Amino acid sequence: MPQLATLLAQAGRQTDPLTGAISTPIYQTATFAHPAVGESTGFDYTRSANPTRKALEDAMTAIEGGVASFAFASGLAALSTLICLFNQGDHLVVAEGSYGGTYRLLDQVFARFGISATYVPVTDTAAFAAAIRPNTRALLVESLSNPCLAVPDLPALAQLARDNDKLFIVDNTFLTPYWLRPLDLGDGLGADIVVHSASKFLAGHNDTIAGIVSVRDPALAERVGYLQNAVGAVLAPQDAWLTLRGLKTLALRLDAQQRSTLAIARWLQTQPQVKHVYYPGLEDDPGHARLQTFASGFGSVLSFELADNAAVARLVEGVKLIAFAESLGGVESLITIPAVQTHANLSAEERLRLGVTDTLVRLSLGIENADDLITDIATAFSLHK
Ligand SMILES: *Cc1c(COP(=O)(O)O)cnc(C)c1O
């Protein structure tokens, strides 16, 4: 099996024997002609399968180490389809500090269909255990919490899920398979399902919305594949191609992004305006040691506390290189205020409990020069001392 960097660079190669095209063709077609009655080229209708989407799905299967992958129109389309695995009356245990849209999907949409969720502190494996009920079907956790980057004990949660015969679903958007492959957490343990918002690191250029699911078990893969076609929230061919294109440079981008993130996190720690920096790559971060037991990197998102609301507004309005925009993982650096953007749909009490104060700022670092990014932030800080 080739190394991950090789799989990534060659994602989608050798998918066009007709011409030998190096880049996967974009099969912009809704339907496919049949050679004869009872015969198929393997493709009938693009909702069911499309060659460009399949090239992406096959690449992700090799990269994640699963048996099958499925590409969706967005991360939330992927999650919605996964929740359709469950029935009325089923229950999920979900990590606190999950993506805001995941809370909204569960509490405002699927709750109406009788699927309930209990949220527990992401670092507290015992709380997950205590929240399991007879009707619990799955544990759902993100590789790092959002926006404070707390580190779950994924191997312990995988063990807990196995011991209790529950599905273990990991949203690996924040670490990507370059740093973490949740389907294989060692000792035969792993997630049953990994899900990504490919809109973030995988596509990587702040230009595409996409979702990916990879599955470890063939019977489960069959059920997810059935739902992908039945629900129909599939990724379009052009966006599948953009996501494949993004994968090719994932290793290079993430190495550069992580290097900058660590440099900027250390610099922020020395700034009098900054009260606290959350980043598991920092040696004094509470998740630093734990994350290294199952992942090979720390990501390129950090967050930090400023003194007051005015300082937050001055920073996000003062930066010029860094865009004041939500999202993360792309080549361009972005800054957000989680309390009013990504986490606005949580209640004020819930936000406070999760550490999402009004003075918390989240930074996603891109591939710009790190010194330029530091100068940008320093200028915004000093403009209004
Ligand atoms: C962005 C995000 C999602 C939702 O993905 P979309 O592609 O925006 O639908 C889900 N989970 C996490 C962790 C995310 O960051």
Side-chain angles (χ1 to χ4, degrees):
M1 186 73 160
Q3 299 287 312
L4 199 53
T6 306
L7 288 176
L8 288 165
Q10 302 243 340
R13 269 288 314 277
Q14 298 174 341
T15 46
D16 185 28
L18 199 61
T19 66
I22 294 294
S23 165
T24 305
I26 302 171
Y27 286 85
Q28 189 64 48
T29 182
T31 189
F32 302 82
H34 301 299
V37 175
E39 285 179 30
S40 163
T41 60
F43 297 96
D44 306 319
Y45 186 62
T46 277
R47 171 163 39 70
S48 310
N50 172 281
T52 313
R53 195 175 84 220
K54 184 173 186 304
L56 169 63
E57 292 169 336
D58 290 348
M60 283 304 298
T61 299
I63 290 161
E64 287 285 7
V67 298
S69 300
F70 306 93
F72 295 91
S74 68
L76 280 175
L79 281 159
S80 301
T81 304
L82 286 179
I83 297 168
C84 291
L85 286 166
F86 307 120
N87 297 315
Q88 186 177 26
D90 286 349
H91 170 254
L92 310 180
V93 182
V94 182
E96 284 179 348
S98 288
Y99 180 66
T102 302
Y103 277 81
R104 182 175 54 210
L105 181 66
L106 288 167
D107 295 346
Q108 308 301 324
V109 181
F110 281 99
R112 292 193 285 106
F113 297 86
I115 295 170
S116 60
T118 302
Y119 300 90
V120 298
V122 56
T123 57
D124 187 350
T125 305
F128 278 85
I132 291 176
R133 308 175 189 163
N135 61 337
T136 301
R137 295 285 307 279
L139 312 183
L140 171 61
V141 58
E142 297 184 5
S143 40
L144 293 174
S145 82
N146 182 4
C148 292
L149 297 318
V151 178
D153 190 345
L154 288 185
L157 290 170
Q159 183 75 55
L160 178 71
R162 177 192 286 180
D163 291 348
N164 289 275
D165 200 21
K166 309 301 178 197
L167 281 180
F168 185 37
I169 306 173
V170 175
D171 178 336
N172 193 27
T173 300
F174 270 59
L175 286 179
T176 86
Y178 185 57
W179 288 314
L180 170 68
R181 291 161 72 242
L183 298 182
D184 177 12
L185 293 168
D187 299 331
L189 283 173
D192 299 293
I193 297 173
V194 54
V195 53
H196 290 280
S197 169
S199 321
K200 315 295 169 53
F201 289 98
L202 298 184
H205 293 71
N206 291 321
D207 58 9
T208 309
I209 298 292
I212 304 274
V213 167
S214 299
V215 181
R216 193 164 69 140
D217 167 72
L220 186 57
E222 183 135 355
R223 289 168 60 208
V224 175
Y226 178 87
L227 287 172
Q228 182 192 36
N229 181 53
V231 174
V234 295
L235 190 62
Q238 172 93 26
D239 290 344
W241 185 87
L242 282 164
T243 307
L244 262 178
R245 148 92 88 117
L247 283 182
K248 292 170 181 293
T249 55
L250 188 75
L252 293 173
R253 287 187 280 114
L254 270 53
D255 283 341
Q257 287 174 255
Q258 178 165 262
R259 244 190 339 269
S260 282
T261 308
L262 187 58
I264 290 164
R266 289 194 173 128
W267 175 80
L268 284 168
Q269 284 186 308
T270 67
Q271 298 305 298
Q273 292 93 335
V274 176
K275 296 208 297 190
H276 187 76
V277 180
Y278 299 93
Y279 180 56
L282 292 168
E283 287 76 7
D284 55 1
D285 187 273
H288 183 70
R290 177 185 272 179
L291 189 55
Q292 288 174 88
T293 65
F294 60 83
S296 59
F298 305 102
S300 79
V301 180
L302 61 78
S303 57
F304 56 99
E305 269 297 330
L306 290 172
D308 54 49
N309 288 0
V312 172
R314 286 194 305 259
L315 174 62
V316 301
E317 289 169 8
V319 284
K320 294 280 177 284
L321 265 182
I322 302 172
F324 175 33
E326 50 197 282
S327 198
L328 59 101
V331 293
E332 297 96 352
S333 296
L334 305 178
I335 193 165
T336 56
I337 310 171
V340 298
Q341 292 176 294
T342 54
H343 291 64
N345 59 299
L346 300 187
S347 71
E349 306 84 78
E350 180 79 351
R351 280 201 300 271
L352 213 58
R353 220 161 45 74
L354 300 181
V356 187
T357 61
D358 292 345
T359 47
L360 188 76
V361 176
R362 191 184 78 188
L363 253 185
S364 169
L365 285 316
I367 60 169
E368 304 93 339
N369 178 278
D371 292 334
D372 287 343
L373 293 170
I374 287 175
T375 303
D376 196 37
I377 300 168
T379 306
F381 278 160
S382 64
L383 279 175
H384 313 273
K385 262 204 189 119

